[in-house]
Amino acid sequence: MAFMNSYCVAFLCIIVLLPALCHGGDYYSSRATYYGSPDCLGTPTGACGFGEYGRTVNDGQVSGVSSLYRGGSGCGACYQVRCTIPEHCTEEGTKVVVTDYGEGDKTDFVLSTAAYGRLARPYMAEHLFAYGVVDVEFKRIPCKYNYNLLFLVQAHSRYPGYLALVPLYQPGAYDITAIEVWQEDCKQWRPMRRPSGAVFDMTDPPLGALTLRFQGTVYDYGDSNFWVQLTNVIPSEWKAGYTYDTGISA
């Protein structure tokens, strides 16, 4: 975990919390369906590349999305989703986290069984499952967790020649649209590649502790962008399968 002075911490709090605090937004109309799994949770093989985290985050109330996937930058986003059949659906619906790409019958959301069932009033879930596809309303909401933003070094990373990172517990209501690594000997930022989903990778990363910066994009406000720098956030001898704490939370 990187240690930052109080100025940097305050700066990070302001820049990260602004999108979360200012985000309200109207509901949009769409449709939702669901997919089955043995335990009603998400799938560890989702397109976002989250692995087991994609199965269990938010108590398994997760979703695949189509247009909201945005080439993978939509991975980790949170949405409030509610169905629109008054006799069967709750007014608030449920919060879901995007962990996969999924298309249905003119749907924006392919929900886990756990998430789809939470749309229903008590004892009404059976009716919603019988429909298979339901009309819904949705809006983007800030993600809030009891954890800081973490970077997972994917299992197929190989020290020191290949590094693949996945952000977990991403707070706020912004997409991570780019990650760059500081190359000290060249005094420049090197962009990481997004091969798929939420995964960012790089061959021959700099030696020593890594300083990263990521670009956040808030789409509801004219596609506004901001950068957050994380000094020495990845240790010099990073290990595949480990997570590293950024100190950033919602």
Side-chain angles (χ1 to χ4, degrees), residues 26-32 79-84 91-94 109 119 134-139:
D26 298 324
Y27 279 92
Y28 300 92
S29 297
S30 185
R31 284 153 59 84
Y79 292 91
Q80 192 74 25
V81 182
R82 62 189 187 191
C83 55
T84 59
E91 292 184 9
E92 67 277 6
T94 191
F109 295 91
L119 300 176
V134 292
D135 292 331
V136 297
E137 297 175 333
F138 71 93
K139 67 177 180 179

Side-chain angles (χ1 to χ4, degrees), residues 17-222:
L17 287 178
L18 257 178
L21 293 175
C22 296
H23 200 279
D26 298 324
Y27 279 92
Y28 300 92
S29 297
S30 185
R31 284 153 59 84
T33 186
Y34 68 94
Y35 62 90
S37 67
D39 54 12
C40 301
L41 305 180
T43 171
T45 58
C48 289
F50 286 140
E52 183 65 13
Y53 169 90
R55 187 180 76 86
T56 60
V57 66
N58 195 39
D59 295 326
Q61 295 182 61
V62 298
S63 183
V65 293
S66 50
S67 63
L68 299 172
Y69 188 72
R70 291 190 287 274
S73 72
C75 291
C78 295
Y79 292 91
Q80 192 74 25
V81 182
R82 62 189 187 191
C83 55
T84 59
I85 308 169
E87 61 270 30
H88 297 150
C89 304
T90 65
E91 292 184 9
E92 67 277 6
T94 191
K95 175 190 120 178
V96 298
V97 179
V98 174
T99 59
D100 199 359
Y101 179 88
E103 295 184 54
D105 180 13
K106 299 178 181 178
T107 62
D108 275 303
F109 295 91
V110 182
L111 302 171
S112 65
T113 306
Y116 191 84
R118 287 291 295 271
L119 300 176
R121 292 181 180 275
Y123 311 110
M124 291 294 168
E126 183 178 345
H127 295 280
L128 292 190
F129 284 113
Y131 287 124
V133 180
V134 292
D135 292 331
V136 297
E137 297 175 333
F138 71 93
K139 67 177 180 179
R140 181 97 182 242
I141 59 173
C143 296
K144 296 180 180 180
Y145 301 103
N146 294 321
Y147 301 93
N148 293 333
L149 170 66
L150 306 177
F151 279 111
L152 168 68
V153 178
Q154 269 207 330
H156 58 271
S157 298
R158 294 292 179 266
Y159 180 82
Y162 175 72
L163 174 65
L165 298 176
V166 183
L168 307 180
Y169 300 111
Q170 178 182 328
Y174 58 88
D175 290 4
I176 293 179
T177 47
I179 298 179
E180 297 180 346
V181 179
W182 179 248
Q183 183 90 35
E184 178 62 28
D185 55 351
C186 299
K187 304 298 182 185
Q188 67 177 10
W189 291 99
R190 287 178 55 192
M192 299 188 79
R193 182 182 69 119
R194 186 197 292 273
S196 62
V199 182
F200 290 85
D201 71 356
M202 170 180 283
T203 56
D204 299 319
L207 297 176
L210 299 180
T211 292
L212 310 178
R213 69 176 184 178
F214 68 81
Q215 178 178 258
T217 300
V218 184
Y219 288 100
D220 282 1
Y221 301 99

